[in-house]
Amino acid sequence: MSGFDADWLAQREPFDLAARSRLLEQAFAAELVRNRPHAAIRLADLGGGTAANFRALAPQLGGDQQWLLLDHDEQLLADAPARIARWARARGWEARVAGQRCEVLTGAARWELSTRQIDLARSLESLEPGAFDGIVTTAFLDLVSLGWLERFARWLVGSGKPLLATLTVDGVRRWHPEAIDDDLIERAFLLHQGGDKGFGDSVGPGAAAALAQCLETLRCPVRLERSDWQIGAAEPAMLARMADEAVEVARQVAPDAQARIAGWRMTRAAQIDAAQASLLIGHIDLLAVPDR
Ligand SMILES: C[S@@+](CC[C@H](N)C(=O)[O-])C[C@H]1O[C@@H](n2cnc3c(N)ncnc32)[C@H](O)[C@@H]1O
């Protein structure tokens, strides 16, 4: 339904994990504990997909937690509890799945995850902020429009709940070594990132900066940190995927440049095969702490 297949989300997960800003995670955790020191922390994950955010954050936050995974993709939501259970058992923790819920018992903490199908483009305001202590989202904001970010900023500031929004792409794609027609591919990619992803024309790579501005206009303090993917020469599958994605986009955006695009892909394929290519993909993490 959304076009985000679970295999792709799994392939990107280790790069996300390595890239996330630990500083902002710690500041978010401190904020949650400061405001709810004794009971389980309740979190909403917007565009939660396969629950990658849960797997990354739950162990960092520590203590008892209750997560609500919000997404419009029924299939991703349906698979999430079993995926969490497999992940937890691989770490030696106990996990129980019951329908669309999963419970993880680590010995030191109890984490519950449940899911809700929702179209956040239409129904953001139907979420009751009082039901959560914090809001998280990862790899989601670049899909949305400026109008949606303005709505989201108003909803968040009205809620008084902290937000940790991780891994929003910022448009930086830096291959090493440079190659002829990097510029052509880069321009095509940037143009494509501004398309409509179900929320109206998306802000794409400007999303983290745009949300920061919307929040600051509402006098909500914001911190930004880089969370770039560093895809090294030892990661040929991910590099090839990134090159294929760039080519697919460039073919749509620059149909007159097919030969140049094919030449660029051949150059990159040879470098990837020879373990001579690497790629940085820019991302930004954002922490917002509105007044309560
Ligand atoms: C790039 S994926 C990120 C998924 C997950 N956060 C992760 O990091 O693995 C974007 C997610 O946003 C969800 N999404 C897209 N449009 C949505 C909408 N209108 N309402 C709710 N979720 C949406 C997709 O289904 C997908 O799971």
Side-chain angles (χ1 to χ4, degrees):
M1 171 179 183
S2 66
F4 289 98
D5 74 278
D7 288 345
W8 161 235
L9 296 178
Q11 189 177 4
R12 59 172 292 161
E13 193 166 336
F15 296 91
D16 284 348
L17 210 51
R20 299 169 71 104
S21 161
R22 301 291 166 232
L23 268 180
L24 293 194
E25 269 178 15
Q26 285 162 9
F28 181 65
E31 192 60 31
L32 292 171
V33 170
R34 195 165 67 82
N35 290 295
R36 200 173 177 85
H38 302 304
I41 291 167
R42 302 162 306 162
L43 295 167
D45 185 2
L46 310 185
T50 66
N53 221 356
F54 174 93
R55 287 185 289 280
L57 264 184
Q60 303 298 327
L61 299 178
D64 292 349
Q65 299 165 36
Q66 291 172 355
W67 284 67
L68 181 60
L69 196 66
L70 299 155
D71 206 288
H72 70 162
D73 189 314
E74 261 183 304
Q75 194 55 53
L76 291 179
L77 291 179
D79 294 344
R83 195 178 289 272
I84 289 291
R86 282 196 299 278
W87 167 85
R89 288 174 191 140
R91 279 153 186 77
W93 297 327
E94 192 182 333
R96 294 186 204 130
V97 175
Q100 277 307 102
R101 307 175 82 84
C102 181
E103 182 186 34
V104 176
L105 300 162
T106 68
R110 179 169 173 269
W111 304 332
E112 279 181 289
L113 175 119
S114 55
T115 68
R116 185 193 303 170
Q117 190 188 18
I118 180 171
D119 177 0
L120 289 165
R122 281 192 298 164
S123 306
L124 169 71
E125 289 81 1
S126 72
L127 296 174
E128 173 46 56
F132 312 110
D133 302 308
I135 312 299
V136 295
T137 187
T138 194
F140 171 70
L141 293 179
D142 54 292
L143 306 179
V144 309
S145 62
L146 183 58
W148 193 88
L149 285 178
E150 288 166 351
R151 277 169 60 200
F152 179 48
R154 280 196 297 277
W155 178 84
L156 186 80
V157 171
S159 80
K161 303 298 158 71
L163 165 73
L164 182 63
T166 38
L167 292 149
T168 308
V169 287
D170 75 345
V172 174
R173 287 196 155 223
R174 205 172 302 133
W175 284 91
H176 181 81
E178 289 179 8
I180 292 172
D181 283 329
D182 276 351
D183 287 358
L184 170 78
I185 301 288
E186 171 100 18
R187 272 198 308 277
F189 211 88
L190 285 175
L191 268 176
H192 178 79
Q193 283 187 324
D196 185 342
K197 314 273 167 50
F199 292 78
D201 275 349
S202 61
V203 205
L211 178 59
Q213 198 170 3
C214 293
L215 289 165
E216 281 163 357
T217 302
L218 298 172
R219 299 184 189 289
C220 171
V222 171
R223 284 172 64 185
L224 300 173
E225 292 279 340
R226 298 212 63 83
S227 51
D228 299 333
W229 283 355
Q230 313 276 355
I231 313 175
E235 303 288 352
M238 189 65 166
L239 291 169
R241 169 135 200 164
M242 293 294 101
D244 286 343
E245 185 186 61
V247 162
E248 194 183 318
V249 167
R251 286 199 172 123
Q252 290 166 26
V253 175
D256 297 340
Q258 299 294 339
R260 287 169 63 192
I261 295 165
W264 181 88
R265 183 67 185 87
M266 279 173 63
T267 305
R268 289 301 177 202
Q271 292 169 344
I272 293 168
D273 286 350
Q276 284 172 352
S278 62
L279 174 64
L280 179 147
I281 300 209
H283 291 93
I284 295 182
D285 286 3
L286 177 154
L287 174 73
V289 183
D291 273 348
R292 297 201 170 237

